[in-house]
Amino acid sequence: MEELWAPPSPAAADMIRSLCERLLTEADTFADAISEPAVIALNAPALLADASLLAEDRELNRSDLVQWLTSNIQHPGIRVDPYVGPRTAAYIGDLVSRGIAPDFAAGWRAALAVGWRGWLTECVSRSAEPDVLVEVLDKSAHSLVQYALDSVSVLREASLAAAMGNAGAEAVALIQLIAGGAPMTQDFAEERLSYRMARQHVALVLWTDDPHRGMSLDKAVAALRSTVPGRALLVARASVGARWIWLSGPEQPDLHHLEKTLVNQTQIRVAVGRPGHGLEGFRSSHQDALAAQAMLTRLGSDRQFTVYADVELVDSLTKDRPGAQRFVARTLGPLAEADATLQQALLTYVQCGFNTTRAASRLYLHRNTVERRVSRANELSVVKVEDNPAYVAAALLVLEMIPGIAATTAG
């Protein structure tokens, strides 16, 4: 690339190289600090609502950061060539196919504001010579600003190329509009998607935390097709690491059957929305599934199959994590750190309507074993199950989703 300024002196180059080597060891932390303000500045609500796309956006920010740091280790203080690898190209293609047009320039401005402050702090804390510090700041400012300008240009070119080569974009964009609540007639949606809306729908989000394993998503979809005969299946490629799926039929599907089919696909995770009817049910079930996915991502949970109707209360409680920690501690007390089998027995007992026989059947245990565990768990709990079963069950659900929360509350 054309050089627009003179290279730094040996002393300034050594300092830039040293700073970049140190910051490279903290690339994940630095990327996290940059990502949140940057993604908000993109002004793309559909991106913010999708946990898979957010993960890819964070990876893009980390990739950009590592590219600049490693380039400045090799050639300090010069113009850095942006790199658009296969993963970034796939992410841009996913955005285009869903009609998402982020303001990349605004995102980069927000990222630069945070990144420059962090860089400035490092420079000032590690420089003993004012003249060298001034030169380091001058050269690195040129390099960072030009890198941002070049990156925005490259991203726009990649978006244009993706738009020209995406034959399925219209269908995915229509699904995005429906899911987002855009006014639309049921007949119009059915005609364009070749999918019957006037039925019961259940929406699923299938995703993988490793986009390089995207093939496992397609295998899961194939397995789903073969095990739900008589049901229509609509599949949309939401991103390189996620698929949106709708199942429709005269009745809602057996969720236990779906779980058995999909949990065998060990590299994927599944979020399921509530069943709903018609166009509104198509939309609301999808929103539920996305909410479940976002909650699992927010909590760092590795749960593989999640039905939103089972965890909606947990979602509400854990949006204020410190509040959720206090709630668990005050409700369960010592039970929060007891053996997981006691917690599971008490939760299942409540979920089965205080029916020990049903709980034993679900847990594949003898009835007497369940009774003993429930009794012991209730002894340990601060709030007794007979006094406030809703609180006890909610606290146990939070604990099930975030096993480490008990240790946090103890601190």
Side-chain angles (χ1 to χ4, degrees):
M1 298 183 72
E2 179 186 0
E3 294 301 332
L4 303 177
W5 58 90
S9 66
D14 286 344
M15 182 177 171
I16 291 172
R17 183 182 293 108
S18 175
L19 288 168
C20 289
E21 287 173 344
R22 201 193 77 75
L23 287 174
L24 191 60
T25 65
E26 300 178 5
D28 287 337
T29 302
F30 211 169
D32 286 340
I34 290 171
S35 293
E36 184 174 355
V39 76
I40 292 173
L42 291 174
N43 191 29
L47 194 161
L48 288 171
D50 190 310
S52 294
L53 289 181
L54 282 175
E56 287 304 294
D57 189 77
R58 182 198 174 281
E59 179 59 30
L60 175 59
N61 287 323
R62 185 185 184 282
S63 175
D64 286 337
L65 175 64
V66 169
Q67 172 72 358
W68 189 82
L69 291 173
T70 54
S71 293
N72 273 274
I73 291 171
Q74 297 169 355
H75 306 288
I78 67 169
R79 188 176 184 180
V80 175
D81 189 2
Y83 171 69
V84 178
R87 185 168 179 178
T88 300
Y91 170 59
I92 296 299
D94 293 334
L95 294 179
V96 170
S97 71
R98 290 176 49 186
I100 301 174
D103 187 341
F104 290 121
W108 263 101
R109 282 195 296 271
L112 274 178
V114 176
W116 177 251
R117 184 174 182 83
W119 177 256
L120 183 63
T121 300
E122 288 292 325
C123 288
V124 172
S125 66
R126 294 177 180 274
S127 175
E129 300 181 34
D131 290 345
V132 174
L133 174 60
V134 169
E135 186 181 3
V136 166
L137 293 175
D138 177 56
K139 301 301 182 184
S140 57
H142 276 87
S143 181
L144 273 171
V145 171
Q146 191 60 48
Y147 184 53
L149 293 172
D150 291 339
S151 296
V152 170
S153 178
V154 166
L155 288 171
R156 286 173 175 166
E157 289 175 5
S159 298
L160 180 60
M164 294 176 65
N166 195 331
E170 183 179 350
V172 178
L174 180 63
I175 290 172
Q176 180 81 18
L177 288 172
I178 297 171
M184 190 175 304
T185 66
Q186 191 162 277
D187 290 344
F188 178 82
E190 287 185 345
E191 180 183 352
R192 290 301 184 92
L193 295 175
S194 298
Y195 176 83
R196 187 175 172 187
M197 289 290 172
R199 305 179 87 185
Q200 285 277 9
H201 308 280
V202 170
L204 295 80
V205 174
L206 273 61
W207 80 100
T208 173
D209 295 323
D210 182 0
H212 295 296
R213 295 177 174 174
M215 288 292 291
S216 60
L217 294 171
D218 298 323
K219 290 180 181 178
V221 171
L224 198 57
R225 288 187 190 278
S226 66
T227 56
V228 287
R231 292 187 178 275
L233 197 72
L234 178 65
V235 181
R237 185 185 187 279
S239 70
V240 65
R243 302 292 182 271
W244 292 347
I245 298 175
W246 286 262
L247 295 172
S248 72
E251 299 175 352
Q252 68 182 74
D254 182 343
L255 295 183
H256 292 296
H257 180 61
L258 291 182
E259 182 175 5
K260 287 180 181 178
T261 299
L262 294 171
V263 294
N264 292 327
Q265 311 295 323
T266 56
Q267 296 174 334
I268 69 162
R269 304 174 69 190
V270 186
V272 185
R274 290 185 187 84
H277 189 272
L279 195 62
E280 180 55 37
F282 180 94
R283 177 185 296 124
S284 63
S285 187
H286 178 63
Q287 290 170 340
D288 281 354
L290 286 178
Q293 181 196 22
M295 181 197 70
L296 295 170
T297 302
R298 183 181 76 243
L299 300 181
S301 172
D302 59 1
R303 187 165 171 158
Q304 192 174 355
F305 188 92
T306 303
V307 180
Y308 188 61
D310 295 341
V311 298
E312 184 175 14
L313 180 58
V314 177
D315 188 21
S316 298
L317 287 170
T318 56
K319 285 176 181 175
D320 172 18
R321 192 180 180 108
Q325 293 169 354
R326 292 191 296 271
F327 174 71
V328 170
R330 293 169 181 172
T331 303
L332 301 181
L335 180 58
E337 297 184 75
D339 191 287
T341 59
L342 297 180
Q343 300 163 1
Q344 184 184 40
L346 186 57
L347 177 58
T348 305
Y349 174 66
V350 177
Q351 291 174 331
C352 289
F354 311 102
N355 187 310
T356 308
T357 302
R358 286 176 57 199
S361 176
R362 184 178 294 185
L363 293 169
Y364 301 102
L365 295 172
H366 192 278
R367 188 175 187 276
N368 292 342
T369 302
V370 173
E371 286 181 345
R372 287 196 301 271
R373 290 182 181 179
V374 167
S375 177
R376 178 56 180 157
N378 203 31
E379 288 175 5
L380 292 173
S381 182
V382 172
V383 176
K384 305 306 177 186
V385 70
E386 62 270 18
D387 296 332
N388 199 329
Y391 268 46
V392 173
L396 287 169
L397 280 169
V398 172
L399 194 59
E400 183 181 61
M401 297 298 300
I402 324 174
I405 200 170
T408 308
T409 57

